[in-house]
Amino acid sequence: MCGILGYTGDRQASDILLSGLAKLEYRGYDSAGIAVMNEGKIKIEKNKGRLKALEEKIKSSGEGIKGTCGIGHTRWATHGEPSDVNAHPLWSDDMSVVAVHNGIVENYREIKNMLANHGYEFYSQTDTEAAVKLIDFYYRQEKTPLRAITQAIKKIEGSYCFVLLFRDYPNEVWGVRKDNPLIAGQGKGESFLASDVSAILQDTRQVYYLDNMDIVQLKKGVVRFFDTEGYAKHKELSEVTWDAQAAEKGGFEHFMMKEIHEQARAVKDTFRSVFHNNRIDLYEHGLNDEAIKNLSQIYIVACGSAYHVGAAAQYVIEDLAKIPVRIEMASEFRYRRMPLDKNSLAIIISQSGETADTLAAMRLAKENGIKTLAIVNVVGSTIAREADSIFYTMAGPEIAVATTKAYSAQLIACYVLAIQFAKVRGTIDETYYEYLIGEIQKLPEKIDEILDEKERIREVAERFVNSRNAFYLGRNIDYAVAMEGSLKMKEISYLHSEACAAGEMKHGPISLIEKGMLVAGVMTQKNLYQKIASNMLEAKSRGGFLLVVASRGCESLKDDADFVFHIPETDEHLSASLSVIPLQLLGYYVAVARKLDVDKPRNLAKSVTVE
Ligand code: F6R
């Protein structure tokens, strides 16, 4: 997590840094800070809390911060509580070296002890300060930023991305990354470093994607790269095609609502990216027919909502393509010592492409000789670059911390894989293949149809403003959607919520049901309507308020539910794409009614680059 920036050029650095950090605040907002170099001096302003507080502090100081070269940071705290002193940038004792950091220096205690033996003292509780002072330690011996950085990274363990100023090197910004994202932007007479593209898109579309262990030097309009031995390295410049407007709110009160409304487009674009001449074409994704036929097992590995996508995909792939699928939480998978099937495919799902656990799990799969296919949204992210093959979702930049449109795009990617696997392996015929494709193409319109009724969800959501607990129930694909609905509710509205496979209720969780408690049920699988209905009724007889999201035509709870929301019919394998929408809205409206910061829920960050 943490958002980091660097700038050098002819414009005032503080303006560029503050506006760029606003785009990165989704990565963490425990504190914010900038450092700007001017006439041989580096001035730092930083504070606990949001970027707004920093802007006001700088504005109220009257003179602002002058200078055309600087670095900035927005923090998601790992080591050391959110506080002014632990806010970045951090500096060496005489301000020779000033740095911002994203990641974790795992051996910071050891580094601190070593430096303490050389007379260094420490003023913060951060791991970053140890790294800054280690770089300073080598800088004093080696005399150049490049040599200091190459020495320091030999000692530092963990994941990191540092962006640095060296007081004796005016108009230069340095950076280095390991397992955390960093891109460099090239403008006319100016250059940039940033955690992601959205922060610099208003200034340049020409970017370099740094690889692990790349070292970068910015001068005005010049970007140079070096390897860990200090040798110059060539990198290709890429053109970003994302629309800068896409990263703005576009008239909605929150990014989350804007992104909920972008789902139809995300679904359409993701499907179109693999649909050529009326066929699904996965050739570019490294999946030829022979590879598909040889598969004996699929592992789907992901975290959070991406894991919930995998949970739905498991049912779809197993039922259509008849390939056994294991869905694995990346944080567990990476430490399991399970025997892995060599003829398998690991499908890695991640919006950011930077989630530490997912990345580690993918590397583990690769080390074990398993082919990896990553479903990723952020182009050029680490997972995208390290996977054997890549399926980009076309959701566009997702800003709200709670995912919606990336989730929907990931589902489409999974359906596409399931359908193509099934076709190639002969488990579905041409007629059903064409029918499924037709149904996917109708999803965008159906999603918009649901959104047209969002007012009904807003009204019912208000009932739960003061609720403390909720249950989400489902079976099969509907259980996967219940997990996602429940996560949406708890992460943004702070209403404690649990998802339960409906049949499991009676084995314990049912004791939690109280009068008036929200019990949301998902019902899209015809053969299970009656089963879920019975479980919902068990909750009702204990006082639960039954809210049902059901496919049109499902009448099972028509007289007993307190609120029913019907979604358009589709093939049952694709139902998650529709049933999730009312549940996203429910979480959103409860959070809004509770007057919470929907786009930036407490304690969370968009990109989870720590374990
Ligand atoms: C919840 C949410 C998270 C992410 C999870 C994985 O709304 O967004 O649960 O799904 O942190 O992130 P990615 O997909 O970036 O790997």
Side-chain angles (χ1 to χ4, degrees), residues 144-435:
T144 74
L146 181 58
R147 286 209 290 268
I149 294 170
T150 54
Q151 289 300 319
I153 58 179
K154 288 195 179 105
K155 282 266 181 295
I156 296 172
E157 288 167 18
S159 66
Y160 51 79
C161 173
F162 294 104
V163 170
L164 305 117
L165 298 176
F166 290 82
R167 197 190 49 199
D168 307 333
Y169 287 75
N171 302 320
E172 288 189 18
V173 180
W174 286 81
V176 59
R177 66 154 288 197
K178 178 177 175 242
D179 295 340
N180 275 318
L182 187 65
I183 55 123
Q186 169 95 60
K188 283 208 181 90
E190 55 188 6
S191 34
F192 307 82
L193 288 177
S195 300
D196 82 37
V197 170
S198 65
I200 60 166
L201 215 48
Q202 68 274 30
D203 299 303
T204 183
R205 291 180 168 276
Q206 307 292 316
V207 304
Y208 296 98
Y209 294 103
L210 272 77
D211 288 310
N212 250 355
M213 309 312 288
D214 278 350
I215 299 170
V216 56
Q217 175 195 32
L218 298 188
K219 290 185 176 185
K220 290 183 182 187
V222 179
V223 184
R224 296 173 67 200
F225 297 95
F226 304 90
D227 67 16
T228 49
E229 298 305 320
Y231 292 112
K233 195 174 166 180
H234 173 76
K235 291 190 83 73
E236 291 294 329
L237 200 57
S238 313
E239 165 101 16
V240 178
T241 52
W242 280 6
D243 180 0
Q245 282 295 313
E248 301 298 333
K249 272 191 216 158
F252 290 95
E253 195 184 342
H254 299 102
F255 279 112
M256 182 173 172
M257 191 46 120
K258 174 180 175 248
E259 289 162 5
I260 286 175
H261 279 264
E262 286 173 346
Q263 291 183 104
R265 203 252 328 126
V267 162
K268 205 184 288 169
D269 289 353
T270 302
F271 184 65
R272 276 188 187 155
S273 71
V274 290
F275 191 60
H276 311 298
N277 302 323
N278 286 325
R279 311 298 292 176
I280 291 171
D281 177 0
L282 297 177
Y283 185 75
E284 278 180 19
H285 303 75
L287 290 169
N288 58 34
D289 288 3
E290 205 191 321
I292 294 171
K293 279 183 192 151
N294 286 337
L295 285 177
S296 54
Q297 169 82 49
I298 290 175
Y299 302 101
I300 302 182
V301 188
C303 299
S305 293
Y307 171 86
H308 299 157
V309 169
Q314 178 182 40
Y315 293 106
V316 180
I317 298 173
E318 286 188 338
D319 197 36
L320 291 179
K322 311 294 178 208
I323 308 172
V325 179
R326 289 185 68 125
I327 164 76
E328 301 281 344
M329 275 172 203
S331 54
E332 290 295 310
F333 181 80
R334 64 182 291 188
Y335 293 115
R336 287 256 290 281
R337 294 194 192 87
M338 62 199 268
L340 293 167
D341 181 344
K342 294 274 184 247
N343 288 327
S344 63
L345 173 70
I347 300 177
I348 313 294
I349 310 179
S350 176
Q351 186 284 131
S352 62
E354 302 292 348
T355 302
D357 285 322
T358 311
L359 177 60
M362 182 177 84
R363 286 178 178 161
L364 179 81
K366 285 181 77 170
E367 277 160 29
N368 280 277
I370 293 173
K371 194 172 154 47
T372 55
L373 166 68
I375 298 175
V376 171
N377 195 40
V378 176
V379 176
S381 55
T382 311
I383 291 178
R385 280 178 299 131
E386 290 190 18
D388 295 314
S389 47
I390 172 82
F391 189 148
Y392 279 120
T393 46
M394 300 291 159
E398 194 175 58
I399 306 296
V401 166
T403 184
T404 52
K405 63 174 179 170
Y407 169 94
S408 285
Q410 289 162 355
L411 275 177
I412 298 300
C414 291
Y415 299 156
V416 163
L417 295 176
I419 294 169
Q420 189 64 4
F421 291 175
K423 184 73 179 72
V424 170
R425 294 164 72 98
T427 52
I428 58 171
D429 63 15
E430 180 65 20
T431 315
Y432 193 37
Y433 174 80
E434 285 171 16
Y435 166 76

Side-chain angles (χ1 to χ4, degrees), residues 1-2 27 102-103 159 179-181 354-356 607-611:
M1 348 273 200
C2 300
R27 299 178 66 85
N102 170 26
S159 66
D179 295 340
N180 275 318
E354 302 292 348
T355 302
S607 172
V608 186
T609 52
V610 293
E611 279 197 51

Side-chain angles (χ1 to χ4, degrees), residues 61-202:
S61 74
E63 58 196 44
I65 302 192
K66 299 229 168 346
T68 58
C69 176
I71 59 178
H73 189 263
T74 169
R75 180 169 187 238
W76 188 82
T78 58
H79 290 63
E81 55 169 19
S83 68
D84 288 355
V85 74
N86 289 334
H88 298 209
L90 292 137
W91 57 86
S92 63
D93 291 344
D94 65 354
M95 298 282 272
S96 301
V97 185
V98 176
V100 291
H101 169 217
N102 170 26
I104 292 181
V105 177
E106 286 172 358
N107 58 339
Y108 76 103
R109 282 200 189 86
E110 196 184 297
I111 294 173
K112 269 182 157 179
N113 289 340
M114 185 279 267
L115 292 172
N117 289 336
H118 287 86
Y120 280 84
E121 288 176 6
F122 296 89
Y123 53 83
S124 76
Q125 292 94 51
T126 64
D127 52 338
T128 306
E129 190 187 352
V132 176
K133 291 187 169 169
L134 184 71
I135 294 170
D136 176 73
F137 174 73
Y138 288 117
Y139 182 54
R140 283 163 197 278
Q141 299 166 16
E142 304 283 347
K143 308 292 183 222
T144 74
L146 181 58
R147 286 209 290 268
I149 294 170
T150 54
Q151 289 300 319
I153 58 179
K154 288 195 179 105
K155 282 266 181 295
I156 296 172
E157 288 167 18
S159 66
Y160 51 79
C161 173
F162 294 104
V163 170
L164 305 117
L165 298 176
F166 290 82
R167 197 190 49 199
D168 307 333
Y169 287 75
N171 302 320
E172 288 189 18
V173 180
W174 286 81
V176 59
R177 66 154 288 197
K178 178 177 175 242
D179 295 340
N180 275 318
L182 187 65
I183 55 123
Q186 169 95 60
K188 283 208 181 90
E190 55 188 6
S191 34
F192 307 82
L193 288 177
S195 300
D196 82 37
V197 170
S198 65
I200 60 166
L201 215 48
Q202 68 274 30

